[in-house]
Amino acid sequence: MATSTATITMSMREVDRLKTIQAVVDRMLRVGQAAQRLGLSRRQLERLVQRYKDEGACGLVSRKRGRPSNHQLAPGVAERATTLIKERYADFGPTLACEKLRECHGLPLAKETIRLLMMAAGLWTPRKQRAPTIHQPRNRRSCLGELIQIDGSDHAWFEDRAPACTLLVFIDDATSRLMQLHFVPTESAFAYFEATRSYLEEHGKPVAFYSDKAAIFRAVQTSTDFGRSATQYGRALFELNIDIMCANTSQAKGRVERANLTLQDRLVKELRLRGINTRDAANAFAPLFMADFNARFAKPARRDFDAHRPVRADEDLDLIFTWRLQRKVSLSLTLQHDRVIYLLKDTPANRKLIHRYIDVYEYPDGRIELRADGISLAYERYDRLPQVDTAAIVENKRLSHALQAAVVIQSQRDDRRKSSTPSRTNQGQAPYPRKALPGTKRSRQFTSGDLELAVMSVCKPPAPTHRAALK
């Protein structure tokens, strides 16, 4: 065995290999056992043994040591990429900077390579090395009713005794008092309408509500029927002169978030002990639970003043807490809403409404009311989705076939209303999916080919005559 007097530096892994291979050379260990111990194949271990016999310990040192990597960047590429990132993409993340370098500058580098370059240049800090975000506590409001935090908690409140539902929680920021608990099928605008109306009737109008940035409280669209970033719930609070503020983080409204965790423990067990399995029974029990909860956990306010204001006589809660849309009156004194045409009476007053937008009020029970300038308008409904009743038609051979084809088309048509109708979900019904049901189409998706197929399915070819059979 050749020996080497040159000073070598071996890693711990290579030292472990040296001991194992020395045992194989000294016939203290079999080749198969040594290969299994080092996690190598038998052939690779035999190569290492031979290199050890020929070169000594130096033969076990990795041949890659001291050589340039096969995967290194071409000269000047890293410098060019770093310069471009500093000049144009200093505030970009590694993924976006990687995309821009590939699209705009023809540098097809991996995003992890860009990440390493940006870290070396001080333009990117790994998340594990960033300082944690500090959420400093703020002082409570000074009096009751100044700020009410609201949130919805979707949870299995009745455990396995009933389906999961949502609990709307209203908690006062100054005292941590539970002001309102309301069980609803799902978190929606109508659900908050019901809970807020019950709150106003019991306590009065607070100064402001504090919520998250859900679509119920903050519109995603820049413009709506009621102004910039106004929602149905925001419009109702504006008419009641109540402010609505949205928190950037869940920690900002931590009082109601922590209350949800407590309720998911205590309230669930109370409902189980009392055998309450329905939302109506839970809503009836909620005042008793709130009284006990507030006696245990509520804090005194710094000022002995109630900021709630009474609801004025001119504030009609029935009209305020409705789903309100605007529709334009056509030349034929009609307007459309949810695939239904509403016909206005031909009167001089209604003719003045042509080309004007009037309000469509939808109540929680699904009732529709048309109002213009504060006046309710009489109307008749014309359903755009009528069904053909073959029993009401006089029997006729051709007409019967036509009606049968119409029935085939109707069976393939998706007759559901729009999924945005809010009164359905408020009554506990599941929302419609946006896509058409399997095997059905929207009315505008039918073509002449669909009509021909329907006619062919109901019109059977005539039976061959005896003369035609002889031919």
Side-chain angles (χ1 to χ4, degrees):
M1 181 180 64
T3 58
S4 177
T5 58
T7 304
I8 59 173
T9 303
M10 303 182 69
S11 65
M12 294 301 298
R13 179 171 172 229
E14 292 169 345
V15 171
D16 185 55
R17 282 186 175 184
L18 175 61
K19 294 180 180 180
T20 305
I21 292 175
Q22 182 65 48
V24 174
V25 173
D26 296 339
R27 299 182 180 275
M28 301 295 293
L29 191 65
R30 295 182 178 180
V31 175
Q33 295 175 345
Q36 185 177 5
R37 177 182 298 180
L38 297 179
L40 302 174
S41 65
R42 184 184 181 93
R43 295 183 61 185
Q44 178 63 16
L45 186 67
E46 291 175 349
R47 295 191 192 98
L48 292 177
V49 171
Q50 187 62 41
R51 283 167 52 183
Y52 178 70
K53 291 179 179 179
D54 296 341
E55 304 177 18
C58 296
L60 301 182
V61 178
S62 176
R63 302 297 176 89
K64 298 179 181 179
R65 185 172 300 175
R67 294 184 180 181
S69 172
N70 296 330
H71 302 286
Q72 65 180 350
L73 297 177
V77 175
E79 292 76 6
R80 182 189 175 197
T82 304
T83 302
L84 289 173
I85 293 173
K86 288 182 178 180
E87 293 177 354
R88 303 189 181 186
Y89 313 118
D91 58 340
F92 283 37
T95 302
L96 184 57
C98 175
E99 296 175 0
K100 295 305 177 183
L101 289 177
R102 181 184 296 107
E103 296 172 0
C104 304
H105 308 283
L107 291 177
L109 301 179
K111 66 178 181 180
E112 294 303 325
T113 302
I114 300 298
R115 191 187 308 275
L116 294 176
L117 294 177
M118 295 180 67
M119 291 169 56
L123 301 176
W124 178 259
T125 303
R127 295 187 183 277
K128 293 183 179 180
Q129 299 179 9
R130 298 177 188 176
T133 303
I134 299 176
H135 301 280
Q136 293 185 341
R138 60 172 176 81
N139 294 328
R140 295 173 178 265
R141 299 293 97 185
S142 58
C143 56
L144 178 69
E146 187 176 354
L147 182 66
I148 305 298
Q149 297 187 17
I150 59 178
D151 192 24
S153 177
D154 188 6
H155 187 67
W157 296 101
F158 308 109
E159 298 174 313
D160 56 352
R161 304 187 305 274
C165 62
T166 300
L167 175 64
L168 303 185
V169 182
F170 289 47
I171 188 170
D172 181 65
D173 185 81
T175 61
S176 293
R177 284 178 51 186
L178 288 179
M179 308 297 291
Q180 182 72 19
L181 294 179
H182 191 65
F183 289 89
V184 294
T186 182
E187 193 173 5
S188 62
F190 265 116
Y192 277 99
F193 283 167
E194 293 179 2
T196 305
R197 178 168 183 172
S198 178
Y199 180 96
L200 298 181
E201 292 173 348
E202 182 177 358
H203 304 286
K205 299 187 299 183
V207 176
F209 284 119
Y210 198 40
S211 68
D212 53 21
K213 294 191 291 186
I216 300 173
F217 312 109
R218 177 177 176 270
V220 180
Q221 300 177 355
T222 58
S223 179
T224 63
D225 292 342
F226 313 105
R228 184 178 179 85
S229 300
T231 63
Q232 296 283 344
Y233 189 69
R235 183 264 312 160
L237 295 184
F238 177 79
E239 294 180 1
L240 291 168
N241 194 17
I242 302 175
D243 290 335
I244 177 72
M245 295 180 290
C246 300
N248 283 325
T249 61
S250 58
Q251 291 82 359
K253 57 183 186 66
R255 214 169 309 285
V256 69
E257 295 289 350
R258 292 189 294 271
N260 285 336
L261 296 178
T262 305
L263 293 173
Q264 290 175 6
D265 178 41
R266 286 176 168 264
L267 183 55
V268 168
K269 294 180 174 62
E270 289 289 345
L271 295 176
R272 183 203 308 162
L273 294 175
R274 297 174 182 269
I276 297 177
N277 304 326
T278 62
R279 294 195 308 272
D280 294 338
N283 286 328
F285 168 68
L288 298 177
F289 179 84
M290 286 191 299
D292 180 73
F293 185 94
N294 293 334
R296 296 175 183 272
F297 303 109
K299 307 291 183 181
R302 286 186 296 174
R303 293 179 54 193
D304 189 13
F305 174 75
D306 191 350
H308 288 99
R309 298 157 294 164
V311 179
R312 300 197 311 267
D314 60 339
E315 294 174 337
D316 191 346
L317 299 183
D318 290 334
L319 292 179
I320 292 176
F321 291 119
T322 55
W323 189 271
R324 195 178 305 176
L325 298 174
Q326 293 183 336
R327 293 293 182 264
K328 189 175 183 179
V329 180
S330 66
L331 284 170
S332 56
L333 290 178
T334 62
L335 58 93
Q336 300 185 29
H337 172 63
D338 195 24
R339 296 187 182 180
V340 176
I341 298 179
Y342 295 88
L343 310 177
L344 302 179
K345 292 185 178 180
D346 187 4
T347 62
N350 288 344
R351 289 200 172 197
K352 296 180 180 179
L353 300 177
I354 294 177
H355 297 317
R356 279 188 54 188
Y357 283 91
I358 65 174
D359 293 328
V360 179
Y361 288 70
E362 182 174 352
Y363 290 87
D365 57 359
R367 180 168 51 93
I368 300 296
E369 182 181 7
L370 307 181
R371 298 179 68 90
D373 300 328
I375 301 175
S376 180
L377 305 177
Y379 64 86
E380 294 182 2
R381 289 170 55 99
Y382 174 74
D383 202 332
R384 295 180 60 188
L385 301 174
Q387 298 291 336
V388 176
D389 186 4
T390 56
I393 306 299
V394 177
E395 190 66 27
N396 182 280
K397 291 183 179 180
R398 295 182 178 178
L399 186 57
S400 177
H401 287 128
L403 291 176
Q404 292 178 18
V407 170
V408 172
I409 292 295
Q410 289 177 356
S411 64
Q412 300 174 1
R413 185 177 61 187
D414 186 11
D415 287 347
R416 301 171 305 162
R417 303 297 180 191
K418 291 177 59 178
S419 60
S420 59
T421 303
S423 59
R424 293 187 67 260
T425 56
N426 181 63
Q427 298 169 7
Q429 303 180 33
Y432 289 139
R434 294 186 179 274
K435 295 183 179 180
L437 294 174
T440 62
K441 295 183 178 181
R442 302 290 188 185
S443 299
R444 296 183 179 181
Q445 294 177 346
F446 282 97
T447 62
S448 58
D450 297 323
L451 182 59
E452 292 179 2
L453 293 177
V455 172
M456 293 294 293
S457 64
V458 299
C459 296
K460 299 180 180 179
T465 60
H466 181 66
R467 183 177 297 177
L470 294 177
K471 291 182 179 180

